[in-house]
Amino acid sequence: MQKFLRLLRFGSTFVRLVRDTDRLDLVFALVDSLDPEAPALQAMLARPEVAASLARREPTLRFELTRLRAMPEGSLGRAFAAFLDQRGLDPTGLYHSSPEAADIDAERFKLHMERTHDLWHTVLGFDTDVAGELGLQAFTMAQLGSPLGYMILSAGLLNTLFLAPADGPRRMEAITRGWQLGKRLRPLYGADWVGMLSWPLEQVRDHFGVAPTDVRAAAMAA
Protein backbone atom coordinates (compact mmCIF):
# COMPACT_ATOMS: atom_id res chain seq x y z
CA MET A 1 0.00 0.00 0.00
CA GLN A 2 2.82 2.42 0.88
CA LYS A 3 4.48 1.89 -2.50
CA PHE A 4 1.15 2.45 -4.24
CA LEU A 5 0.59 5.72 -2.38
CA ARG A 6 4.15 6.83 -3.19
CA LEU A 7 3.52 6.07 -6.87
CA LEU A 8 0.22 7.96 -6.77
CA ARG A 9 1.87 11.02 -5.21
CA PHE A 10 4.63 10.84 -7.78
CA GLY A 11 2.18 10.69 -10.70
CA SER A 12 0.14 13.63 -9.42
CA THR A 13 3.24 15.74 -8.80
CA PHE A 14 4.74 14.87 -12.18
CA VAL A 15 1.61 15.96 -14.06
CA ARG A 16 1.56 19.28 -12.21
CA LEU A 17 5.25 19.82 -12.97
CA VAL A 18 4.59 19.23 -16.68
CA ARG A 19 2.00 22.01 -16.52
CA ASP A 20 4.24 24.41 -14.58
CA THR A 21 7.96 23.66 -14.85
CA ASP A 22 8.91 26.72 -12.77
CA ARG A 23 7.42 25.30 -9.54
CA LEU A 24 10.35 24.55 -7.25
CA ASP A 25 7.98 23.18 -4.61
CA LEU A 26 6.89 20.51 -7.10
CA VAL A 27 10.51 19.55 -7.74
CA PHE A 28 11.00 19.13 -3.99
CA ALA A 29 7.80 17.08 -3.80
CA LEU A 30 9.06 14.90 -6.65
CA VAL A 31 12.31 14.31 -4.77
CA ASP A 32 10.40 13.38 -1.64
CA SER A 33 8.31 10.87 -3.58
CA LEU A 34 11.39 8.91 -4.69
CA ASP A 35 11.81 5.46 -3.21
CA PRO A 36 15.10 5.59 -1.24
CA GLU A 37 15.67 1.93 -2.12
CA ALA A 38 15.18 2.42 -5.87
CA PRO A 39 18.00 0.75 -7.86
CA ALA A 40 18.75 3.91 -9.87
CA LEU A 41 19.17 5.96 -6.69
CA GLN A 42 21.32 3.32 -5.02
CA ALA A 43 23.51 3.07 -8.13
CA MET A 44 24.05 6.84 -8.04
CA LEU A 45 24.98 6.79 -4.35
CA ALA A 46 27.47 4.00 -5.05
CA ARG A 47 29.41 6.01 -7.62
CA PRO A 48 33.02 6.43 -6.39
CA GLU A 49 32.95 10.25 -6.17
CA VAL A 50 29.56 10.23 -4.43
CA ALA A 51 30.40 7.41 -2.02
CA ALA A 52 33.72 9.05 -1.09
CA SER A 53 32.04 12.39 -0.38
CA LEU A 54 29.27 10.81 1.70
CA ALA A 55 31.82 8.80 3.70
CA ARG A 56 33.54 12.01 4.82
CA ARG A 57 30.35 13.07 6.67
CA GLU A 58 31.16 16.74 6.33
CA PRO A 59 28.98 19.41 7.98
CA THR A 60 25.86 20.48 6.10
CA LEU A 61 26.58 23.40 3.77
CA ARG A 62 24.92 26.69 4.60
CA PHE A 63 25.33 29.96 2.71
CA GLU A 64 24.22 33.44 3.81
CA LEU A 65 23.77 36.27 1.33
CA THR A 66 25.27 38.95 3.57
CA ARG A 67 28.52 37.00 3.87
CA LEU A 68 28.60 36.15 0.19
CA ARG A 69 28.12 39.80 -0.80
CA ALA A 70 31.06 40.78 1.42
CA MET A 71 33.50 38.43 -0.29
CA PRO A 72 36.26 39.79 -2.56
CA GLU A 73 35.31 41.17 -5.96
CA GLY A 74 35.77 38.50 -8.62
CA SER A 75 35.51 35.61 -6.17
CA LEU A 76 33.14 32.69 -6.55
CA GLY A 77 31.30 33.79 -3.39
CA ARG A 78 30.73 37.30 -4.74
CA ALA A 79 29.62 35.93 -8.13
CA PHE A 80 27.28 33.52 -6.35
CA ALA A 81 25.73 36.43 -4.42
CA ALA A 82 25.29 38.42 -7.64
CA PHE A 83 23.67 35.41 -9.33
CA LEU A 84 21.18 35.08 -6.47
CA ASP A 85 20.51 38.82 -6.17
CA GLN A 86 19.86 39.23 -9.89
CA ARG A 87 17.16 36.56 -9.68
CA GLY A 88 15.69 37.60 -6.34
CA LEU A 89 16.78 34.40 -4.62
CA ASP A 90 17.89 33.79 -1.04
CA PRO A 91 19.76 30.51 -0.46
CA THR A 92 18.19 30.03 2.97
CA GLY A 93 14.76 30.17 1.35
CA LEU A 94 15.73 27.30 -0.94
CA TYR A 95 16.70 24.94 1.88
CA HIS A 96 14.12 22.17 1.88
CA SER A 97 15.56 19.01 3.43
CA SER A 98 16.27 18.87 7.15
CA PRO A 99 19.86 18.35 8.38
CA GLU A 100 18.41 16.19 11.17
CA ALA A 101 17.90 13.40 8.62
CA ALA A 102 21.50 13.57 7.40
CA ASP A 103 22.49 10.26 8.96
CA ILE A 104 21.04 8.54 5.87
CA ASP A 105 23.15 8.61 2.68
CA ALA A 106 20.21 9.51 0.42
CA GLU A 107 19.28 12.42 2.68
CA ARG A 108 22.86 13.71 2.89
CA PHE A 109 23.05 13.55 -0.90
CA LYS A 110 19.81 15.56 -1.21
CA LEU A 111 21.08 18.18 1.22
CA HIS A 112 24.32 18.63 -0.66
CA MET A 113 22.60 18.90 -4.04
CA GLU A 114 20.00 21.38 -2.79
CA ARG A 115 22.63 23.65 -1.33
CA THR A 116 25.06 23.56 -4.23
CA HIS A 117 22.52 23.67 -7.08
CA ASP A 118 22.80 27.42 -7.67
CA LEU A 119 26.59 27.29 -7.26
CA TRP A 120 26.62 24.89 -10.19
CA HIS A 121 24.50 27.40 -12.13
CA THR A 122 27.03 30.13 -11.31
CA VAL A 123 30.09 28.11 -12.33
CA LEU A 124 28.63 26.63 -15.52
CA GLY A 125 26.73 29.67 -16.81
CA PHE A 126 23.26 28.15 -17.07
CA ASP A 127 20.42 30.51 -16.16
CA THR A 128 17.40 29.61 -14.03
CA ASP A 129 14.80 29.67 -16.80
CA VAL A 130 13.36 26.38 -18.07
CA ALA A 131 16.08 25.90 -20.69
CA GLY A 132 18.84 26.59 -18.16
CA GLU A 133 17.36 24.24 -15.58
CA LEU A 134 17.01 21.47 -18.17
CA GLY A 135 20.61 22.06 -19.24
CA LEU A 136 21.81 21.73 -15.66
CA GLN A 137 19.75 18.57 -15.18
CA ALA A 138 21.40 17.08 -18.27
CA PHE A 139 24.78 18.00 -16.78
CA THR A 140 23.84 16.29 -13.51
CA MET A 141 22.68 13.19 -15.35
CA ALA A 142 25.95 12.99 -17.27
CA GLN A 143 28.02 13.33 -14.10
CA LEU A 144 25.93 11.34 -11.62
CA GLY A 145 23.28 9.34 -13.48
CA SER A 146 20.67 11.26 -11.48
CA PRO A 147 17.23 9.59 -11.58
CA LEU A 148 15.67 12.94 -10.67
CA GLY A 149 17.31 14.41 -13.77
CA TYR A 150 15.47 11.94 -15.98
CA MET A 151 12.17 12.86 -14.33
CA ILE A 152 12.69 16.61 -14.64
CA LEU A 153 13.88 16.32 -18.24
CA SER A 154 10.82 14.20 -19.07
CA ALA A 155 8.52 16.78 -17.51
CA GLY A 156 10.35 19.60 -19.28
CA LEU A 157 10.13 17.93 -22.68
CA LEU A 158 6.43 17.20 -22.26
CA ASN A 159 5.91 20.82 -21.24
CA THR A 160 7.77 21.84 -24.40
CA LEU A 161 5.65 19.59 -26.59
CA PHE A 162 2.27 20.72 -25.26
CA LEU A 163 2.81 24.23 -23.92
CA ALA A 164 6.01 25.80 -25.27
CA PRO A 165 6.96 24.31 -28.67
CA ALA A 166 8.52 27.60 -29.82
CA ASP A 167 11.15 27.29 -27.07
CA GLY A 168 12.00 23.72 -28.07
CA PRO A 169 15.20 24.40 -30.05
CA ARG A 170 16.67 26.53 -27.24
CA ARG A 171 15.82 23.93 -24.61
CA MET A 172 17.32 21.12 -26.68
CA GLU A 173 20.48 23.16 -27.21
CA ALA A 174 20.79 23.66 -23.45
CA ILE A 175 20.23 19.95 -22.79
CA THR A 176 22.86 19.01 -25.36
CA ARG A 177 25.32 21.53 -23.93
CA GLY A 178 24.72 20.29 -20.37
CA TRP A 179 25.25 16.65 -21.31
CA GLN A 180 28.49 17.41 -23.18
CA LEU A 181 29.86 19.50 -20.32
CA GLY A 182 28.93 16.85 -17.77
CA LYS A 183 30.87 14.22 -19.67
CA ARG A 184 33.96 16.40 -20.07
CA LEU A 185 34.37 18.30 -16.80
CA ARG A 186 35.78 17.15 -13.48
CA PRO A 187 33.04 16.08 -11.00
CA LEU A 188 31.33 19.00 -9.27
CA TYR A 189 29.65 16.84 -6.66
CA GLY A 190 31.43 16.79 -3.30
CA ALA A 191 33.86 19.57 -4.14
CA ASP A 192 35.16 21.81 -1.34
CA TRP A 193 32.69 24.59 -2.10
CA VAL A 194 33.25 26.41 1.19
CA GLY A 195 36.98 26.56 0.53
CA MET A 196 36.49 27.65 -3.07
CA LEU A 197 34.16 30.56 -2.25
CA SER A 198 37.18 32.82 -1.81
CA TRP A 199 38.85 31.67 -5.04
CA PRO A 200 38.58 33.84 -8.15
CA LEU A 201 35.66 32.56 -10.22
CA GLU A 202 37.92 31.90 -13.20
CA GLN A 203 40.20 29.78 -11.02
CA VAL A 204 37.22 27.69 -9.91
CA ARG A 205 36.14 27.22 -13.50
CA ASP A 206 39.66 26.27 -14.54
CA HIS A 207 39.79 23.77 -11.67
CA PHE A 208 36.80 21.91 -13.11
CA GLY A 209 37.85 22.35 -16.75
CA VAL A 210 35.26 25.01 -17.66
CA ALA A 211 36.49 27.23 -20.50
CA PRO A 212 35.18 30.77 -21.16
CA THR A 213 33.62 29.47 -24.38
CA ASP A 214 31.72 26.84 -22.36
CA VAL A 215 30.16 29.54 -20.16
CA ARG A 216 29.18 31.69 -23.13
CA ALA A 217 27.68 28.71 -24.96
CA ALA A 218 25.72 27.61 -21.88
CA ALA A 219 24.41 31.14 -21.34
CA MET A 220 23.33 31.43 -24.97
CA ALA A 221 21.59 28.06 -24.86
CA ALA A 222 19.76 28.92 -21.66
Side-chain angles (χ1 to χ4, degrees):
M1 176 63 73
Q2 192 171 12
K3 286 188 176 181
F4 174 75
L5 291 175
R6 186 188 295 273
L7 183 60
L8 192 63
R9 286 196 300 270
F10 168 80
S12 173
T13 303
F14 183 82
V15 169
R16 285 185 289 160
L17 187 62
V18 169
R19 292 174 178 167
D20 190 350
T21 52
D22 290 323
R23 290 273 303 277
L24 184 61
D25 61 315
L26 294 178
V27 174
F28 285 145
L30 206 60
V31 173
D32 292 340
S33 72
L34 285 173
D35 181 355
E37 301 302 323
L41 179 59
Q42 291 302 313
M44 181 178 64
L45 297 178
R47 287 183 173 236
E49 65 275 22
V50 176
S53 176
L54 293 174
R56 291 196 292 269
R57 293 188 172 272
E58 295 169 339
T60 301
L61 294 171
R62 188 170 187 84
F63 304 108
E64 296 180 2
L65 263 176
T66 52
R67 293 185 179 182
L68 294 171
R69 291 173 183 142
M71 300 201 75
E73 185 70 36
S75 67
L76 171 61
R78 188 73 169 268
F80 184 31
F83 179 89
L84 296 170
D85 282 335
Q86 288 164 9
R87 292 155 184 81
L89 301 173
D90 183 337
T92 59
L94 302 176
Y95 293 162
H96 170 69
S97 299
S98 171
E100 282 72 31
D103 58 333
I104 303 170
D105 281 352
E107 292 300 321
R108 289 209 308 282
F109 178 86
K110 283 166 57 178
L111 277 167
H112 186 85
M113 292 301 291
E114 282 177 17
R115 301 189 178 203
T116 59
H117 179 82
D118 287 310
L119 272 169
W120 291 29
H121 271 288
T122 304
V123 171
L124 298 173
F126 286 107
D127 208 336
T128 55
D129 63 349
V130 174
E133 293 293 354
L134 294 180
L136 189 58
Q137 288 302 321
F139 177 90
T140 307
M141 289 164 58
Q143 291 222 326
L144 299 173
S146 166
L148 178 65
Y150 286 102
M151 290 186 284
I152 293 178
L153 275 187
S154 299
L157 290 175
L158 286 171
N159 173 273
T160 305
L161 173 64
F162 293 113
L163 301 173
D167 202 33
R170 199 171 66 96
R171 294 182 183 185
M172 288 305 301
E173 177 61 30
I175 291 169
T176 303
R177 173 61 54 185
W179 180 265
Q180 291 173 338
L181 285 175
K183 287 296 185 182
R184 179 164 58 82
L185 301 187
R186 291 181 61 181
L188 268 66
Y189 180 84
D192 180 16
W193 291 108
V194 172
M196 289 191 295
L197 286 176
S198 60
W199 291 15
L201 176 58
E202 296 311 314
Q203 181 183 347
V204 176
R205 286 174 170 163
D206 184 64
H207 171 77
F208 291 113
V210 182
T213 52
D214 293 328
V215 177
R216 287 195 293 272
M220 290 176 64

